[in-house]
Every structure is written in structure tokens, then in C-alpha cells.
Amino acid sequence: MAYTDNYERDAYGIIAFWLRNDYDHGRFLDREISHYEMELARANLNNIQRLGEVWQRAEARQEDIGTLLIDAHHATSEFHSLLAHTMDKSLHCEVIISTPVSLLDHMVREAEESQRVFKLMESGGKVSQSDAIIHETVFWLRQMADHLGYIRHYSDVSNYEVNFEVTNMMQKFERLLMQATALKTMIRKPRNETLPVLTHFKEVIIKEAKSLEAFKLELDELIKKCAIATTSPPDLLEHIAREAHHLWRNLEDERIT
């Protein structure tokens, strides 16, 4: 499916966003599994099919949200278990797989985050604006830095200028992550007001996330035209551009979705 950044921010849209993320991750993982690992490949394929089926139901917007949430939570939980188990086996050198361990961890963290969001929706809980800003920046800035590292991982060494730009951007997002982590401990709970330092940081991240989204889509066009050498999955850049969009939209709305 082509890149889209205009998904609805209602309950159905939020569920669909997270299911699509895990669905994409499952597909990306599938291409990295050795043909010797037939059991892992079958288990992953079952997860992909399950996630895709629940995602399409969320996209259809025709059923009870409570039932959909239960099924979404179950599907992402199963996928999380498979990823965590595979990561453990990879660390013990007990599985033949091309995926970096850090990328497995990246996927595990997003599966965990999807479950946290589903629980928040189920409970109807409220999060303060300051808590939402801090949570979203700490979580997503790490994911954004990871994304840039994976772009570099898949990019051919001959792409000297692109690789240089990607490295600089990755280091920038790593510094921003350190700042977000510092603000998390400096601005203590209860966070009943949004301090000027946090408002300023939020605006900085919105600007950088928009710039990163645009960069990813520009690179995506080059990849599709075969204008640079890469082993990247065909729609990886669309996937991570969508997540950059999700970050700055959440910061503008000062909410967790």
C-alpha cells in the first residue's frame, strides 16, 4: 500500500496504525529469515496473516471497538512473544537470521508500545500534556535514531554523500534523545503544567521530525527509481516516514496515540 499520512486519529485509526506497524515489521523480518529456519518462518507468517486480518478490520471501521481492541491486543502480544524469543535465540547464536539484534529489539519495543496504547484506550485513562510530550519524545526519538541507522545498514557503501547525511542526522537524533531523557528526569511528576523549556523542545522536535519525514520520502523515491544502490525492503522508507509523521502529529496534539 502506498504511503499515507492522513489516517484518522480516532480509535479505529490508532488501532490500524499500530497493527500496520507490526504487520510491516513481520514482513520485513520474513525476508531476513534463513530458509533453514522453517519453524520460525511459519510462525512469523502466521503472525503476519493474523495482524493483517485485524488491521483490515480496523480499516473497515465496522465493528465494536472493544472487540477489536481485544483482538488487536492479542495479535500484537503473540507477535511480541515471537520477536522476543527470536531475539533471545539470536543473542545465543541459535538462529540463522540476517536481521540485526538491535532491529529485533526495535520491533519488540514497538510491539510493547502498541500494547501500552491499547491498554490506555481500554482503560479510558488520561495523560497530562507534559507527560505525553515527554513520553512521545523519549520513545520515538530512539526509534527515529534507529531508523537512520537501519537506512545506513541497507545503503551501499558507495553512497558516500547519502551515508554521510544519514550519519549526521542519526547523531542529531541521538543528541535529541539525550536531551529528552534529561528533561524526563528534570521535570518531575506530577507534571501539571507544560514548562517553557518543554514547549520549546517540543517545537524543535516537530520541526526535525517533519524534516526527517521529507528526507525519508525523498530517499524512498530514489530507491524506487533505482537511483542509489541499496538492499532496503521496497517500502521500508514509507514505513519509517509514517512513523516520523506520527511523532510530530502526536506532539502537535500533545497526546499519546
Side-chain angles (χ1 to χ4, degrees):
M1 184 180 292
Y3 175 75
T4 174
D5 61 1
N6 61 350
Y7 51 90
E8 294 293 332
R9 312 287 280 187
D10 61 2
Y12 289 107
I14 295 167
I15 294 169
F17 170 82
W18 286 105
L19 287 168
R20 183 175 183 177
N21 267 18
D22 286 340
Y23 173 81
D24 284 351
H25 286 164
R27 291 189 301 107
F28 298 151
L29 175 60
D30 180 68
R31 72 194 289 270
E32 307 285 352
I33 299 172
S34 166
H35 67 277
Y36 292 105
E37 302 291 350
M38 290 184 289
E39 183 178 345
L40 172 60
R42 281 195 294 266
N44 186 54
L45 180 59
N46 287 337
N47 276 288
I48 293 170
Q49 292 171 340
R50 177 62 173 155
L51 289 162
E53 183 266 329
V54 185
W55 168 37
Q56 292 302 321
R57 285 163 52 198
E59 289 278 301
R61 300 167 172 271
Q62 294 177 349
E63 65 180 274
D64 175 69
I65 283 291
T67 301
L68 191 61
L69 269 172
I70 291 171
D71 289 348
H73 206 149
H74 183 68
T76 55
S77 178
E78 284 190 343
F79 185 53
H80 170 269
S81 296
L82 177 68
L83 290 172
H85 178 67
T86 303
M87 182 168 64
D88 182 67
K89 291 187 71 174
S90 184
L91 286 169
H92 286 87
C93 301
E94 295 174 354
V95 66
I96 303 173
I97 186 171
S98 300
T99 303
V101 178
S102 64
L103 179 49
L104 288 169
D105 180 52
H106 177 94
M107 294 178 180
V108 167
R109 281 184 268 120
E110 285 199 23
E112 290 171 343
E113 182 67 9
S114 68
Q115 292 173 70
R116 278 191 286 268
V117 171
F118 295 156
K119 285 181 180 178
L120 184 62
M121 295 173 69
E122 289 170 339
S123 69
K126 301 295 182 181
V127 179
S128 74
Q129 292 175 324
S130 291
D131 281 332
I133 293 169
I134 288 173
H135 175 84
E136 292 299 279
T137 53
V138 170
F139 177 79
W140 282 112
L141 285 174
R142 182 175 181 186
Q143 302 303 93
M144 298 297 115
D146 282 355
H147 290 161
L148 289 159
Y150 303 139
I151 292 173
R152 190 175 62 178
H153 168 75
Y154 288 118
S155 179
D156 192 86
V157 70
S158 66
N159 300 318
Y160 294 104
E161 189 61 31
V162 168
N163 292 340
F164 179 78
E165 185 173 0
V166 167
T167 298
N168 282 345
M169 294 180 74
M170 182 177 72
Q171 292 172 347
K172 175 191 290 186
F173 274 82
E174 288 172 343
R175 292 193 299 271
L176 290 171
L177 172 60
M178 291 177 65
Q179 186 172 353
T181 304
L183 289 174
K184 181 179 180 180
T185 56
M186 289 165 55
I187 305 173
R188 297 282 175 168
K189 291 185 177 183
R191 303 185 181 105
N192 297 324
E193 60 177 323
T194 303
L195 298 177
V197 65
L198 187 58
T199 299
H200 172 69
F201 184 63
K202 180 192 75 170
E203 295 303 324
V204 169
I205 301 306
I206 289 173
K207 178 182 176 182
E208 294 295 342
K210 287 181 177 181
S211 176
L212 182 60
E213 179 187 18
F215 171 76
K216 290 172 177 177
L217 292 177
E218 290 170 7
L219 198 55
D220 181 61
E221 284 300 311
L222 291 175
I223 292 172
K224 287 177 178 175
K225 294 175 181 176
C226 210
I228 61 171
T230 180
T231 58
S232 171
D235 52 355
L236 173 65
L237 274 295
E238 291 181 359
H239 171 89
I240 59 181
R242 188 176 297 107
E243 292 188 356
H245 184 93
H246 185 81
L247 168 59
W248 67 256
R249 283 282 298 276
N250 275 8
L251 290 181
E252 282 192 342
D253 296 342
E254 297 184 342
R255 60 188 294 210
I256 297 172
T257 64

